[in-house]
Each structure stands twice: as C-alpha cells, then as structure tokens.
PDB file of all heavy atoms in Angstrom:
ATOM      1  N   SER A   1     133.906  45.952 -59.129  1.00  0.00           N
ATOM      2  CA  SER A   1     133.315  45.230 -57.996  1.00  0.00           C
ATOM      3  C   SER A   1     132.167  46.012 -57.365  1.00  0.00           C
ATOM      4  O   SER A   1     131.322  45.438 -56.682  1.00  0.00           O
ATOM      5  CB  SER A   1     134.384  44.947 -56.934  1.00  0.00           C
ATOM      6  OG  SER A   1     134.766  46.139 -56.253  1.00  0.00           O
ATOM      7  N   LEU A   2     132.140  47.325 -57.611  1.00  0.00           N
ATOM      8  CA  LEU A   2     131.093  48.178 -57.063  1.00  0.00           C
ATOM      9  C   LEU A   2     130.019  48.517 -58.094  1.00  0.00           C
ATOM     10  O   LEU A   2     129.160  49.361 -57.844  1.00  0.00           O
ATOM     11  CB  LEU A   2     131.718  49.473 -56.518  1.00  0.00           C
ATOM     12  CG  LEU A   2     132.623  49.287 -55.294  1.00  0.00           C
ATOM     13  CD1 LEU A   2     133.406  50.566 -55.011  1.00  0.00           C
ATOM     14  CD2 LEU A   2     131.803  48.894 -54.077  1.00  0.00           C
ATOM     15  N   GLY A   3     130.101  47.865 -59.256  1.00  0.00           N
ATOM     16  CA  GLY A   3     129.031  48.022 -60.237  1.00  0.00           C
ATOM     17  C   GLY A   3     129.258  49.071 -61.295  1.00  0.00           C
ATOM     18  O   GLY A   3     128.355  49.340 -62.093  1.00  0.00           O
ATOM     19  N   VAL A   4     130.435  49.712 -61.342  1.00  0.00           N
ATOM     20  CA  VAL A   4     130.731  50.674 -62.406  1.00  0.00           C
ATOM     21  C   VAL A   4     131.018  49.878 -63.669  1.00  0.00           C
ATOM     22  O   VAL A   4     131.942  49.067 -63.702  1.00  0.00           O
ATOM     23  CB  VAL A   4     131.925  51.571 -62.042  1.00  0.00           C
ATOM     24  CG1 VAL A   4     132.249  52.523 -63.186  1.00  0.00           C
ATOM     25  CG2 VAL A   4     131.621  52.350 -60.775  1.00  0.00           C
ATOM     26  N   ASP A   5     130.213  50.099 -64.721  1.00  0.00           N
ATOM     27  CA  ASP A   5     130.279  49.213 -65.884  1.00  0.00           C
ATOM     28  C   ASP A   5     131.232  49.729 -66.953  1.00  0.00           C
ATOM     29  O   ASP A   5     131.814  50.810 -66.838  1.00  0.00           O
ATOM     30  CB  ASP A   5     128.884  48.962 -66.450  1.00  0.00           C
ATOM     31  CG  ASP A   5     128.192  50.250 -66.902  1.00  0.00           C
ATOM     32  OD1 ASP A   5     128.848  51.089 -67.540  1.00  0.00           O
ATOM     33  OD2 ASP A   5     126.987  50.410 -66.614  1.00  0.00           O
ATOM     34  N   ASP A   6     131.352  48.949 -68.020  1.00  0.00           N
ATOM     35  CA  ASP A   6     132.364  49.239 -69.043  1.00  0.00           C
ATOM     36  C   ASP A   6     131.999  50.418 -69.935  1.00  0.00           C
ATOM     37  O   ASP A   6     132.854  50.904 -70.677  1.00  0.00           O
ATOM     38  CB  ASP A   6     132.589  47.991 -69.907  1.00  0.00           C
ATOM     39  CG  ASP A   6     133.340  46.903 -69.154  1.00  0.00           C
ATOM     40  OD1 ASP A   6     134.010  47.249 -68.153  1.00  0.00           O
ATOM     41  OD2 ASP A   6     133.252  45.725 -69.542  1.00  0.00           O
ATOM     42  N   GLN A   7     130.756  50.889 -69.891  1.00  0.00           N
ATOM     43  CA  GLN A   7     130.433  52.116 -70.622  1.00  0.00           C
ATOM     44  C   GLN A   7     130.835  53.340 -69.815  1.00  0.00           C
ATOM     45  O   GLN A   7     131.300  54.341 -70.357  1.00  0.00           O
ATOM     46  CB  GLN A   7     128.943  52.194 -70.939  1.00  0.00           C
ATOM     47  CG  GLN A   7     128.605  53.460 -71.740  1.00  0.00           C
ATOM     48  CD  GLN A   7     127.112  53.708 -71.874  1.00  0.00           C
ATOM     49  OE1 GLN A   7     126.315  53.073 -71.202  1.00  0.00           O
ATOM     50  NE2 GLN A   7     126.741  54.631 -72.740  1.00  0.00           N
ATOM     51  N   VAL A   8     130.688  53.263 -68.502  1.00  0.00           N
ATOM     52  CA  VAL A   8     130.976  54.403 -67.637  1.00  0.00           C
ATOM     53  C   VAL A   8     132.462  54.502 -67.310  1.00  0.00           C
ATOM     54  O   VAL A   8     133.010  55.607 -67.213  1.00  0.00           O
ATOM     55  CB  VAL A   8     130.142  54.291 -66.336  1.00  0.00           C
ATOM     56  CG1 VAL A   8     130.556  55.358 -65.320  1.00  0.00           C
ATOM     57  CG2 VAL A   8     128.658  54.411 -66.644  1.00  0.00           C
ATOM     58  N   LEU A   9     133.133  53.363 -67.149  1.00  0.00           N
ATOM     59  CA  LEU A   9     134.526  53.372 -66.679  1.00  0.00           C
ATOM     60  C   LEU A   9     135.468  54.209 -67.549  1.00  0.00           C
ATOM     61  O   LEU A   9     136.279  54.982 -67.013  1.00  0.00           O
ATOM     62  CB  LEU A   9     135.033  51.932 -66.565  1.00  0.00           C
ATOM     63  CG  LEU A   9     136.419  51.750 -65.941  1.00  0.00           C
ATOM     64  CD1 LEU A   9     136.506  52.442 -64.589  1.00  0.00           C
ATOM     65  CD2 LEU A   9     136.755  50.268 -65.802  1.00  0.00           C
ATOM     66  N   PRO A  10     135.414  54.120 -68.886  1.00  0.00           N
ATOM     67  CA  PRO A  10     136.315  54.968 -69.685  1.00  0.00           C
ATOM     68  C   PRO A  10     136.099  56.462 -69.445  1.00  0.00           C
ATOM     69  O   PRO A  10     137.055  57.250 -69.472  1.00  0.00           O
ATOM     70  CB  PRO A  10     135.968  54.578 -71.130  1.00  0.00           C
ATOM     71  CG  PRO A  10     135.374  53.218 -71.031  1.00  0.00           C
ATOM     72  CD  PRO A  10     134.622  53.205 -69.741  1.00  0.00           C
ATOM     73  N   ILE A  11     134.850  56.856 -69.213  1.00  0.00           N
ATOM     74  CA  ILE A  11     134.565  58.270 -68.933  1.00  0.00           C
ATOM     75  C   ILE A  11     135.116  58.652 -67.567  1.00  0.00           C
ATOM     76  O   ILE A  11     135.681  59.733 -67.385  1.00  0.00           O
ATOM     77  CB  ILE A  11     133.046  58.518 -69.007  1.00  0.00           C
ATOM     78  CG1 ILE A  11     132.540  58.251 -70.419  1.00  0.00           C
ATOM     79  CG2 ILE A  11     132.698  59.943 -68.571  1.00  0.00           C
ATOM     80  CD1 ILE A  11     131.043  58.336 -70.570  1.00  0.00           C
ATOM     81  N   VAL A  12     134.968  57.762 -66.595  1.00  0.00           N
ATOM     82  CA  VAL A  12     135.473  58.011 -65.242  1.00  0.00           C
ATOM     83  C   VAL A  12     136.978  58.252 -65.263  1.00  0.00           C
ATOM     84  O   VAL A  12     137.492  59.127 -64.551  1.00  0.00           O
ATOM     85  CB  VAL A  12     135.127  56.823 -64.326  1.00  0.00           C
ATOM     86  CG1 VAL A  12     135.864  56.923 -62.996  1.00  0.00           C
ATOM     87  CG2 VAL A  12     133.630  56.742 -64.100  1.00  0.00           C
ATOM     88  N   ARG A  13     137.676  57.520 -66.094  1.00  0.00           N
ATOM     89  CA  ARG A  13     139.135  57.643 -66.155  1.00  0.00           C
ATOM     90  C   ARG A  13     139.588  58.974 -66.760  1.00  0.00           C
ATOM     91  O   ARG A  13     140.765  59.336 -66.656  1.00  0.00           O
ATOM     92  CB  ARG A  13     139.726  56.478 -66.956  1.00  0.00           C
ATOM     93  CG  ARG A  13     139.707  55.152 -66.227  1.00  0.00           C
ATOM     94  CD  ARG A  13     140.476  55.236 -64.941  1.00  0.00           C
ATOM     95  NE  ARG A  13     140.548  53.971 -64.208  1.00  0.00           N
ATOM     96  CZ  ARG A  13     140.925  53.868 -62.948  1.00  0.00           C
ATOM     97  NH1 ARG A  13     141.266  54.971 -62.272  1.00  0.00           N
ATOM     98  NH2 ARG A  13     140.972  52.709 -62.350  1.00  0.00           N
ATOM     99  N   LEU A  14     138.659  59.707 -67.368  1.00  0.00           N
ATOM    100  CA  LEU A  14     139.004  61.018 -67.933  1.00  0.00           C
ATOM    101  C   LEU A  14     138.806  62.158 -66.941  1.00  0.00           C
ATOM    102  O   LEU A  14     139.257  63.280 -67.197  1.00  0.00           O
ATOM    103  CB  LEU A  14     138.154  61.294 -69.178  1.00  0.00           C
ATOM    104  CG  LEU A  14     138.347  60.359 -70.375  1.00  0.00           C
ATOM    105  CD1 LEU A  14     137.347  60.710 -71.470  1.00  0.00           C
ATOM    106  CD2 LEU A  14     139.776  60.447 -70.911  1.00  0.00           C
ATOM    107  N   LEU A  15     138.137  61.887 -65.829  1.00  0.00           N
ATOM    108  CA  LEU A  15     137.799  62.961 -64.890  1.00  0.00           C
ATOM    109  C   LEU A  15     139.041  63.473 -64.167  1.00  0.00           C
ATOM    110  O   LEU A  15     139.863  62.692 -63.671  1.00  0.00           O
ATOM    111  CB  LEU A  15     136.776  62.464 -63.871  1.00  0.00           C
ATOM    112  CG  LEU A  15     135.427  62.003 -64.441  1.00  0.00           C
ATOM    113  CD1 LEU A  15     134.540  61.454 -63.334  1.00  0.00           C
ATOM    114  CD2 LEU A  15     134.729  63.160 -65.146  1.00  0.00           C
ATOM    115  N   THR A  16     139.149  64.802 -64.086  1.00  0.00           N
ATOM    116  CA  THR A  16     140.278  65.422 -63.387  1.00  0.00           C
ATOM    117  C   THR A  16     139.864  66.188 -62.139  1.00  0.00           C
ATOM    118  O   THR A  16     140.680  66.458 -61.273  1.00  0.00           O
ATOM    119  CB  THR A  16     141.023  66.396 -64.332  1.00  0.00           C
ATOM    120  OG1 THR A  16     140.100  67.394 -64.788  1.00  0.00           O
ATOM    121  CG2 THR A  16     141.608  65.643 -65.521  1.00  0.00           C
ATOM    122  N   ARG A  17     138.589  66.574 -62.049  1.00  0.00           N
ATOM    123  CA  ARG A  17     138.115  67.344 -60.893  1.00  0.00           C
ATOM    124  C   ARG A  17     136.722  66.870 -60.488  1.00  0.00           C
ATOM    125  O   ARG A  17     135.972  66.330 -61.297  1.00  0.00           O
ATOM    126  CB  ARG A  17     138.050  68.845 -61.234  1.00  0.00           C
ATOM    127  CG  ARG A  17     139.400  69.478 -61.543  1.00  0.00           C
ATOM    128  CD  ARG A  17     139.282  70.986 -61.666  1.00  0.00           C
ATOM    129  NE  ARG A  17     138.443  71.381 -62.797  1.00  0.00           N
ATOM    130  CZ  ARG A  17     137.516  72.331 -62.750  1.00  0.00           C
ATOM    131  NH1 ARG A  17     137.271  72.966 -61.613  1.00  0.00           N
ATOM    132  NH2 ARG A  17     136.808  72.650 -63.814  1.00  0.00           N
ATOM    133  N   GLU A  18     136.372  67.103 -59.210  1.00  0.00           N
ATOM    134  CA  GLU A  18     135.043  66.734 -58.737  1.00  0.00           C
ATOM    135  C   GLU A  18     133.955  67.518 -59.464  1.00  0.00           C
ATOM    136  O   GLU A  18     132.833  67.033 -59.611  1.00  0.00           O
ATOM    137  CB  GLU A  18     134.925  66.956 -57.223  1.00  0.00           C
ATOM    138  CG  GLU A  18     135.638  65.904 -56.395  1.00  0.00           C
ATOM    139  CD  GLU A  18     135.233  65.947 -54.934  1.00  0.00           C
ATOM    140  OE1 GLU A  18     134.030  66.120 -54.657  1.00  0.00           O
ATOM    141  OE2 GLU A  18     136.119  65.804 -54.073  1.00  0.00           O
ATOM    142  N   ALA A  19     134.278  68.722 -59.907  1.00  0.00           N
ATOM    143  CA  ALA A  19     133.292  69.521 -60.646  1.00  0.00           C
ATOM    144  C   ALA A  19     132.864  68.806 -61.925  1.00  0.00           C
ATOM    145  O   ALA A  19     131.709  68.899 -62.350  1.00  0.00           O
ATOM    146  CB  ALA A  19     133.867  70.896 -60.975  1.00  0.00           C
ATOM    147  N   HIS A  20     133.797  68.086 -62.561  1.00  0.00           N
ATOM    148  CA  HIS A  20     133.457  67.328 -63.758  1.00  0.00           C
ATOM    149  C   HIS A  20     132.535  66.162 -63.416  1.00  0.00           C
ATOM    150  O   HIS A  20     131.617  65.832 -64.177  1.00  0.00           O
ATOM    151  CB  HIS A  20     134.731  66.812 -64.429  1.00  0.00           C
ATOM    152  CG  HIS A  20     135.609  67.899 -64.959  1.00  0.00           C
ATOM    153  ND1 HIS A  20     136.932  67.702 -65.292  1.00  0.00           N
ATOM    154  CD2 HIS A  20     135.359  69.216 -65.196  1.00  0.00           C
ATOM    155  CE1 HIS A  20     137.451  68.836 -65.715  1.00  0.00           C
ATOM    156  NE2 HIS A  20     136.521  69.774 -65.667  1.00  0.00           N
ATOM    157  N   LEU A  21     132.778  65.549 -62.275  1.00  0.00           N
ATOM    158  CA  LEU A  21     131.886  64.477 -61.822  1.00  0.00           C
ATOM    159  C   LEU A  21     130.489  65.023 -61.554  1.00  0.00           C
ATOM    160  O   LEU A  21     129.482  64.402 -61.927  1.00  0.00           O
ATOM    161  CB  LEU A  21     132.458  63.825 -60.560  1.00  0.00           C
ATOM    162  CG  LEU A  21     131.581  62.775 -59.869  1.00  0.00           C
ATOM    163  CD1 LEU A  21     131.242  61.636 -60.816  1.00  0.00           C
ATOM    164  CD2 LEU A  21     132.284  62.241 -58.616  1.00  0.00           C
ATOM    165  N   ASP A  22     130.417  66.189 -60.929  1.00  0.00           N
ATOM    166  CA  ASP A  22     129.116  66.810 -60.662  1.00  0.00           C
ATOM    167  C   ASP A  22     128.344  67.055 -61.962  1.00  0.00           C
ATOM    168  O   ASP A  22     127.120  66.909 -62.014  1.00  0.00           O
ATOM    169  CB  ASP A  22     129.292  68.131 -59.919  1.00  0.00           C
ATOM    170  CG  ASP A  22     129.807  67.935 -58.496  1.00  0.00           C
ATOM    171  OD1 ASP A  22     129.694  66.811 -57.984  1.00  0.00           O
ATOM    172  OD2 ASP A  22     130.324  68.902 -57.914  1.00  0.00           O
ATOM    173  N   ALA A  23     129.073  67.428 -63.010  1.00  0.00           N
ATOM    174  CA  ALA A  23     128.424  67.718 -64.292  1.00  0.00           C
ATOM    175  C   ALA A  23     127.793  66.471 -64.910  1.00  0.00           C
ATOM    176  O   ALA A  23     126.863  66.566 -65.717  1.00  0.00           O
ATOM    177  CB  ALA A  23     129.439  68.318 -65.262  1.00  0.00           C
ATOM    178  N   LEU A  24     128.275  65.296 -64.516  1.00  0.00           N
ATOM    179  CA  LEU A  24     127.754  64.039 -65.060  1.00  0.00           C
ATOM    180  C   LEU A  24     126.598  63.479 -64.245  1.00  0.00           C
ATOM    181  O   LEU A  24     126.028  62.443 -64.602  1.00  0.00           O
ATOM    182  CB  LEU A  24     128.864  62.989 -65.108  1.00  0.00           C
ATOM    183  CG  LEU A  24     130.080  63.285 -65.987  1.00  0.00           C
ATOM    184  CD1 LEU A  24     131.093  62.156 -65.872  1.00  0.00           C
ATOM    185  CD2 LEU A  24     129.670  63.475 -67.438  1.00  0.00           C
ATOM    186  N   GLN A  25     126.236  64.145 -63.173  1.00  0.00           N
ATOM    187  CA  GLN A  25     125.296  63.579 -62.203  1.00  0.00           C
ATOM    188  C   GLN A  25     124.007  63.085 -62.840  1.00  0.00           C
ATOM    189  O   GLN A  25     123.547  61.973 -62.565  1.00  0.00           O
ATOM    190  CB  GLN A  25     124.967  64.623 -61.139  1.00  0.00           C
ATOM    191  CG  GLN A  25     123.928  64.173 -60.138  1.00  0.00           C
ATOM    192  CD  GLN A  25     123.627  65.242 -59.117  1.00  0.00           C
ATOM    193  OE1 GLN A  25     124.508  66.005 -58.746  1.00  0.00           O
ATOM    194  NE2 GLN A  25     122.398  65.318 -58.669  1.00  0.00           N
ATOM    195  N   HIS A  26     123.383  63.895 -63.695  1.00  0.00           N
ATOM    196  CA  HIS A  26     122.084  63.537 -64.255  1.00  0.00           C
ATOM    197  C   HIS A  26     122.206  62.652 -65.497  1.00  0.00           C
ATOM    198  O   HIS A  26     121.189  62.242 -66.053  1.00  0.00           O
ATOM    199  CB  HIS A  26     121.291  64.796 -64.581  1.00  0.00           C
ATOM    200  CG  HIS A  26     121.030  65.654 -63.384  1.00  0.00           C
ATOM    201  ND1 HIS A  26     120.235  65.246 -62.340  1.00  0.00           N
ATOM    202  CD2 HIS A  26     121.494  66.890 -63.039  1.00  0.00           C
ATOM    203  CE1 HIS A  26     120.197  66.180 -61.412  1.00  0.00           C
ATOM    204  NE2 HIS A  26     120.952  67.185 -61.815  1.00  0.00           N
ATOM    205  N   MET A  27     123.420  62.344 -65.898  1.00  0.00           N
ATOM    206  CA  MET A  27     123.628  61.452 -67.047  1.00  0.00           C
ATOM    207  C   MET A  27     123.915  60.024 -66.607  1.00  0.00           C
ATOM    208  O   MET A  27     123.625  59.074 -67.318  1.00  0.00           O
ATOM    209  CB  MET A  27     124.798  61.965 -67.900  1.00  0.00           C
ATOM    210  CG  MET A  27     124.682  63.405 -68.346  1.00  0.00           C
ATOM    211  SD  MET A  27     126.175  63.930 -69.217  1.00  0.00           S
ATOM    212  CE  MET A  27     126.071  65.714 -69.020  1.00  0.00           C
ATOM    213  N   LEU A  28     124.517  59.862 -65.431  1.00  0.00           N
ATOM    214  CA  LEU A  28     124.953  58.557 -64.952  1.00  0.00           C
ATOM    215  C   LEU A  28     123.842  57.820 -64.221  1.00  0.00           C
ATOM    216  O   LEU A  28     122.949  58.443 -63.641  1.00  0.00           O
ATOM    217  CB  LEU A  28     126.130  58.728 -63.994  1.00  0.00           C
ATOM    218  CG  LEU A  28     127.449  59.225 -64.584  1.00  0.00           C
ATOM    219  CD1 LEU A  28     128.422  59.571 -63.461  1.00  0.00           C
ATOM    220  CD2 LEU A  28     128.054  58.173 -65.505  1.00  0.00           C
ATOM    221  N   PRO A  29     123.882  56.478 -64.206  1.00  0.00           N
ATOM    222  CA  PRO A  29     122.992  55.733 -63.320  1.00  0.00           C
ATOM    223  C   PRO A  29     123.199  56.174 -61.878  1.00  0.00           C
ATOM    224  O   PRO A  29     124.340  56.395 -61.446  1.00  0.00           O
ATOM    225  CB  PRO A  29     123.430  54.277 -63.533  1.00  0.00           C
ATOM    226  CG  PRO A  29     124.069  54.258 -64.894  1.00  0.00           C
ATOM    227  CD  PRO A  29     124.732  55.597 -65.031  1.00  0.00           C
ATOM    228  N   ALA A  30     122.115  56.291 -61.126  1.00  0.00           N
ATOM    229  CA  ALA A  30     122.167  56.912 -59.801  1.00  0.00           C
ATOM    230  C   ALA A  30     123.138  56.213 -58.863  1.00  0.00           C
ATOM    231  O   ALA A  30     123.952  56.864 -58.186  1.00  0.00           O
ATOM    232  CB  ALA A  30     120.768  56.938 -59.197  1.00  0.00           C
ATOM    233  N   LEU A  31     123.081  54.878 -58.776  1.00  0.00           N
ATOM    234  CA  LEU A  31     123.956  54.181 -57.834  1.00  0.00           C
ATOM    235  C   LEU A  31     125.414  54.229 -58.274  1.00  0.00           C
ATOM    236  O   LEU A  31     126.314  54.276 -57.439  1.00  0.00           O
ATOM    237  CB  LEU A  31     123.497  52.733 -57.654  1.00  0.00           C
ATOM    238  CG  LEU A  31     122.248  52.547 -56.789  1.00  0.00           C
ATOM    239  CD1 LEU A  31     121.884  51.078 -56.659  1.00  0.00           C
ATOM    240  CD2 LEU A  31     122.443  53.148 -55.405  1.00  0.00           C
ATOM    241  N   GLN A  32     125.675  54.218 -59.578  1.00  0.00           N
ATOM    242  CA  GLN A  32     127.060  54.356 -60.036  1.00  0.00           C
ATOM    243  C   GLN A  32     127.593  55.746 -59.690  1.00  0.00           C
ATOM    244  O   GLN A  32     128.763  55.891 -59.307  1.00  0.00           O
ATOM    245  CB  GLN A  32     127.156  54.090 -61.535  1.00  0.00           C
ATOM    246  CG  GLN A  32     126.887  52.633 -61.915  1.00  0.00           C
ATOM    247  CD  GLN A  32     127.331  52.301 -63.324  1.00  0.00           C
ATOM    248  OE1 GLN A  32     128.432  52.671 -63.739  1.00  0.00           O
ATOM    249  NE2 GLN A  32     126.483  51.603 -64.076  1.00  0.00           N
ATOM    250  N   TYR A  33     126.746  56.753 -59.821  1.00  0.00           N
ATOM    251  CA  TYR A  33     127.164  58.101 -59.418  1.00  0.00           C
ATOM    252  C   TYR A  33     127.471  58.141 -57.927  1.00  0.00           C
ATOM    253  O   TYR A  33     128.475  58.725 -57.504  1.00  0.00           O
ATOM    254  CB  TYR A  33     126.070  59.109 -59.758  1.00  0.00           C
ATOM    255  CG  TYR A  33     126.365  60.515 -59.268  1.00  0.00           C
ATOM    256  CD1 TYR A  33     127.283  61.326 -59.924  1.00  0.00           C
ATOM    257  CD2 TYR A  33     125.741  61.018 -58.125  1.00  0.00           C
ATOM    258  CE1 TYR A  33     127.566  62.609 -59.473  1.00  0.00           C
ATOM    259  CE2 TYR A  33     126.015  62.297 -57.667  1.00  0.00           C
ATOM    260  CZ  TYR A  33     126.928  63.086 -58.346  1.00  0.00           C
ATOM    261  OH  TYR A  33     127.211  64.346 -57.885  1.00  0.00           O
ATOM    262  N   ASP A  34     126.627  57.493 -57.104  1.00  0.00           N
ATOM    263  CA  ASP A  34     126.874  57.452 -55.660  1.00  0.00           C
ATOM    264  C   ASP A  34     128.212  56.780 -55.352  1.00  0.00           C
ATOM    265  O   ASP A  34     128.947  57.205 -54.454  1.00  0.00           O
ATOM    266  CB  ASP A  34     125.745  56.706 -54.947  1.00  0.00           C
ATOM    267  CG  ASP A  34     124.443  57.490 -54.927  1.00  0.00           C
ATOM    268  OD1 ASP A  34     124.488  58.708 -55.186  1.00  0.00           O
ATOM    269  OD2 ASP A  34     123.385  56.886 -54.652  1.00  0.00           O
ATOM    270  N   VAL A  35     128.527  55.720 -56.080  1.00  0.00           N
ATOM    271  CA  VAL A  35     129.815  55.035 -55.902  1.00  0.00           C
ATOM    272  C   VAL A  35     130.965  55.997 -56.191  1.00  0.00           C
ATOM    273  O   VAL A  35     131.936  56.100 -55.431  1.00  0.00           O
ATOM    274  CB  VAL A  35     129.898  53.803 -56.831  1.00  0.00           C
ATOM    275  CG1 VAL A  35     131.341  53.296 -56.922  1.00  0.00           C
ATOM    276  CG2 VAL A  35     128.995  52.700 -56.319  1.00  0.00           C
ATOM    277  N   LEU A  36     130.859  56.727 -57.291  1.00  0.00           N
ATOM    278  CA  LEU A  36     131.939  57.641 -57.688  1.00  0.00           C
ATOM    279  C   LEU A  36     132.101  58.784 -56.690  1.00  0.00           C
ATOM    280  O   LEU A  36     133.228  59.186 -56.370  1.00  0.00           O
ATOM    281  CB  LEU A  36     131.653  58.189 -59.088  1.00  0.00           C
ATOM    282  CG  LEU A  36     131.622  57.130 -60.207  1.00  0.00           C
ATOM    283  CD1 LEU A  36     131.185  57.764 -61.514  1.00  0.00           C
ATOM    284  CD2 LEU A  36     132.978  56.458 -60.353  1.00  0.00           C
ATOM    285  N   VAL A  37     130.987  59.305 -56.187  1.00  0.00           N
ATOM    286  CA  VAL A  37     131.059  60.374 -55.196  1.00  0.00           C
ATOM    287  C   VAL A  37     131.765  59.878 -53.932  1.00  0.00           C
ATOM    288  O   VAL A  37     132.614  60.566 -53.360  1.00  0.00           O
ATOM    289  CB  VAL A  37     129.645  60.890 -54.849  1.00  0.00           C
ATOM    290  CG1 VAL A  37     129.673  61.776 -53.605  1.00  0.00           C
ATOM    291  CG2 VAL A  37     129.072  61.671 -56.017  1.00  0.00           C
ATOM    292  N   ALA A  38     131.411  58.671 -53.490  1.00  0.00           N
ATOM    293  CA  ALA A  38     132.028  58.117 -52.284  1.00  0.00           C
ATOM    294  C   ALA A  38     133.531  57.914 -52.469  1.00  0.00           C
ATOM    295  O   ALA A  38     134.341  58.287 -51.610  1.00  0.00           O
ATOM    296  CB  ALA A  38     131.354  56.798 -51.917  1.00  0.00           C
ATOM    297  N   LEU A  39     133.922  57.348 -53.605  1.00  0.00           N
ATOM    298  CA  LEU A  39     135.348  57.118 -53.857  1.00  0.00           C
ATOM    299  C   LEU A  39     136.104  58.432 -54.012  1.00  0.00           C
ATOM    300  O   LEU A  39     137.247  58.563 -53.559  1.00  0.00           O
ATOM    301  CB  LEU A  39     135.520  56.253 -55.105  1.00  0.00           C
ATOM    302  CG  LEU A  39     134.998  54.809 -54.997  1.00  0.00           C
ATOM    303  CD1 LEU A  39     135.053  54.126 -56.354  1.00  0.00           C
ATOM    304  CD2 LEU A  39     135.807  54.020 -53.976  1.00  0.00           C
ATOM    305  N   ALA A  40     135.476  59.428 -54.639  1.00  0.00           N
ATOM    306  CA  ALA A  40     136.123  60.733 -54.809  1.00  0.00           C
ATOM    307  C   ALA A  40     136.346  61.428 -53.475  1.00  0.00           C
ATOM    308  O   ALA A  40     137.292  62.217 -53.320  1.00  0.00           O
ATOM    309  CB  ALA A  40     135.284  61.622 -55.722  1.00  0.00           C
ATOM    310  N   SER A  41     135.487  61.140 -52.488  1.00  0.00           N
ATOM    311  CA  SER A  41     135.631  61.763 -51.172  1.00  0.00           C
ATOM    312  C   SER A  41     136.673  61.071 -50.307  1.00  0.00           C
ATOM    313  O   SER A  41     136.915  61.497 -49.176  1.00  0.00           O
ATOM    314  CB  SER A  41     134.283  61.757 -50.445  1.00  0.00           C
ATOM    315  OG  SER A  41     133.907  60.434 -50.090  1.00  0.00           O
TER     316      SER A  41
END
C-alpha cells in the first residue's frame, strides 16, 4: 500500500538489522527506501 514493489519486498523480508537496510540505500528507489526507514523506526 506504500509502494514497496514485488522486486524489493523479498529482499526486505531478509533484513535483520537497520545496518543492512542502510547498505541498500543507494540500490533502492529513493521513496521506497524512505518508506522502509520510516517503518523501521
């Protein structure tokens, strides 16, 4: 509902720490990354 698509979602489900999310920052679409950061917080 927040725009995280089916290519990104399987990768998101593998994340265990915020540091791993940070490592994906420059690979992910900017707004999808913003969504993930907000939900992680």
Side-chain angles (χ1 to χ4, degrees):
S1 72
L2 293 169
V4 178
D5 60 43
D6 288 339
Q7 182 190 12
V8 172
L9 186 53
I11 297 174
V12 169
R13 287 301 182 194
L14 296 175
L15 299 176
T16 58
R17 296 188 296 136
E18 285 194 41
H20 295 163
L21 174 58
D22 292 342
L24 298 178
Q25 176 181 327
H26 300 294
M27 306 175 202
L28 292 170
L31 285 181
Q32 292 195 45
Y33 175 76
D34 289 344
V35 166
L36 297 174
V37 167
L39 294 172
S41 69

